[in-house]
């Protein structure tokens, strides 16, 4: 039936519906020559059904393949997403580590710079403090050497009973000056008390023959202080000296500067320097015999200032008059002597030490009243 038909397109296969596939006939008769017309009819009837079955099988197999492919792709996609998520987490972790390292590096750099600046600052401060201490030490050494020399001379050659007249020129001037006008004493009282000034005889009172009497209250306060020497102003002995002598002697017109001077004297940081004539400010004032005129920084009076003071490490200087210098010097002499007693440098009995302190208090009183030795 098919062998007698001619096919115009021999290279192309006929459609699937027009090609009967004798599945069963070939299996039953391999030779193909013993088929009967009844078998051909049965084969012709089974051909479309077999074709539809094959198509359905192909469709089901393709759908199965598609489902398996889709499932495989879904698994691969899920696996890729999981790997991508892991990569993202790893990148985020590495990013955090990098940020932390950068922050630690910045903090370390800042701390290193801060530590370096701190070390440089501390080194500069230590250097400045060392230089300051060296300067103070040199000044204290010079001061102590001068004080030791003065103390040796004071202790060895000068006592209240026999003062050294070369160290105290005011004693010489008092013996040569004779009686002052307006301060004469009555003969009866002078002869009864002590060999005082006698205008008729024309001789003056000498310190060696001056009458003295120990005040019991003052001496008791001094002995109590001498048992445990201190510079505390609250003890009865020093409190009395401050109230009666030190305070009034350093009470100048310029109250603010007076307080600074008093604190510097107590701390032993006040310096008195002589002033050369060329360093004094040129101020023309009449009736000035020696030196050039200036204004005293403590009293405010215009007078010849041959000295100036410096407080502590300050570079500021204050010109002072001879009277102000005498008042400051008297107080400094008192503090120097009680410091010697506190340090154990004065080896005397209580009474000579008491009379030396009394003499220093007397000098403060005289300086407070305006008496001071004339400079040569």
């Amino acid at each position: 039936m098919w062998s007698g038909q001619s096919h115009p397109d021999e290279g192309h296969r006929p459609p699937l519906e027009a090609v009967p596939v004798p599945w069963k006939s070939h299996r039953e008769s391999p030779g193909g020559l013993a088929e009967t017309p009844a078998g051909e009819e049965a084969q012709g009837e089974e051909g479309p059904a077999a074709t539809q079955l094959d198509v359905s099988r192909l469709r089901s197999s393709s759908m199965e393949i598609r489902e398996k492919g889709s499932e495989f792709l879904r698994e691969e996609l899920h696996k890729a997403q999981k790997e991508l998520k892991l990569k993202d987490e790893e990148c985020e972790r590495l990013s955090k580590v990098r940020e932390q390292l950068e922050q630690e590096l910045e903090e370390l750099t800042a701390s290193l710079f801060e530590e370096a600046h701190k070390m440089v600052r501390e080194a500069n401060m230590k250097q400045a403090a060392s230089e300051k201490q060296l300067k103070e030490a040199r000044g204290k050494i010079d001061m102590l050497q001068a004080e030791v020399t003065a103390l040796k001379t004071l202790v060895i050659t000068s006592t209240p009973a026999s003062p050294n007249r070369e160290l105290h020129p005011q004693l010489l001037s008092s013996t040569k000056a004779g009686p002052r006008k307006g301060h004469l004493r009555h003969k009866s009282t002078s002869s009864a008390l002590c060999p005082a000034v006698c205008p008729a005889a024309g001789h003056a009172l000498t310190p060696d023959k001056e009458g003295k009497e120990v005040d019991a209250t003052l001496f008791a306060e001094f002995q109590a202080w001498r048992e445990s020497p201190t510079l505390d102003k609250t003890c009865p002995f020093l409190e009395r000296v401050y109230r009666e002598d030190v305070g009034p002697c350093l009470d100048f017109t310029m109250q603010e500067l007076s307080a600074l001077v008093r604190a510097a004297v107590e701390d032993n940081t006040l310096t008195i320097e002589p002033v050369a004539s060329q360093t004094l400010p040129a101020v023309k004032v009449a009736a000035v015999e020696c030196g050039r005129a200036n204004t005293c920084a403590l009293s405010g009076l215009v007078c010849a200032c041959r000295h100036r003071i410096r407080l502590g490490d300050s570079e500021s200087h204050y010109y002072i008059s001879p009277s102000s210098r005498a008042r400051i010097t008297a107080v400094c002499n008192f503090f120097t002597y009680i410091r010697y007693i506190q340090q154990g440098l004065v080896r005397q009995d209580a009474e000579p030490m008491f009379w030396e302190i009394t003499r220093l208090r007397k000098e403060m009183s005289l300086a407070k009243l305006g008496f001071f030795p004339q400079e040569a």
Side-chain angles (χ1 to χ4, degrees), residues 11 13 17 36 40 136 166 185 213 242 287 296:
R13 296 177 60 182
E17 290 79 359
T36 60
E40 288 179 1
E136 292 178 354
E166 294 181 358
R185 296 185 181 181
E213 183 178 355
Y242 267 91
C296 179

Side-chain angles (χ1 to χ4, degrees), residues 123-182:
N124 293 334
M125 293 175 62
K126 288 182 180 179
Q127 182 179 1
S130 300
E131 293 177 355
K132 182 180 179 181
Q133 291 177 357
L134 178 61
K135 184 179 178 181
E136 292 178 354
R138 288 177 178 175
K140 288 182 179 180
I141 289 173
D142 296 339
M143 185 184 302
L144 289 174
Q145 289 177 349
E147 289 181 355
V148 168
T149 304
L151 178 63
K152 288 181 179 178
T153 306
L154 178 66
V155 173
I156 295 174
T157 65
S158 180
T159 61
S162 57
N164 190 340
R165 298 178 181 275
E166 294 181 358
L167 296 177
H168 306 283
Q170 66 271 19
L171 299 178
L172 294 175
S173 61
S174 63
T175 57
K176 296 178 181 178
R180 295 181 180 179
K181 295 181 180 180

Side-chain angles (χ1 to χ4, degrees), residues 326-346:
R327 294 167 67 173
I328 296 174
T329 304
V331 177
C332 289
N333 291 338
F334 170 77
F335 276 103
T336 301
Y337 190 70
I338 63 173
R339 286 193 185 99
Y340 288 158
I341 297 175
Q342 183 190 21
Q343 296 170 7
L345 300 177
V346 181

Side-chain angles (χ1 to χ4, degrees), residues 312-324:
D313 296 332
S314 175
E315 299 298 330
S316 301
H317 294 81
Y318 303 94
Y319 292 93
I320 57 174
S321 63
S323 176
S324 300

Side-chain angles (χ1 to χ4, degrees), residues 234-259:
T234 59
C235 68
F237 170 68
L238 288 183
E239 192 273 333
R240 179 187 295 272
V241 176
Y242 267 91
R243 184 180 68 253
E244 297 179 357
D245 301 306
V246 175
C249 194
L250 296 181
D251 186 14
F252 295 97
T253 305
M254 306 300 176
Q255 295 292 327
E256 184 176 356
L257 185 58
S258 299

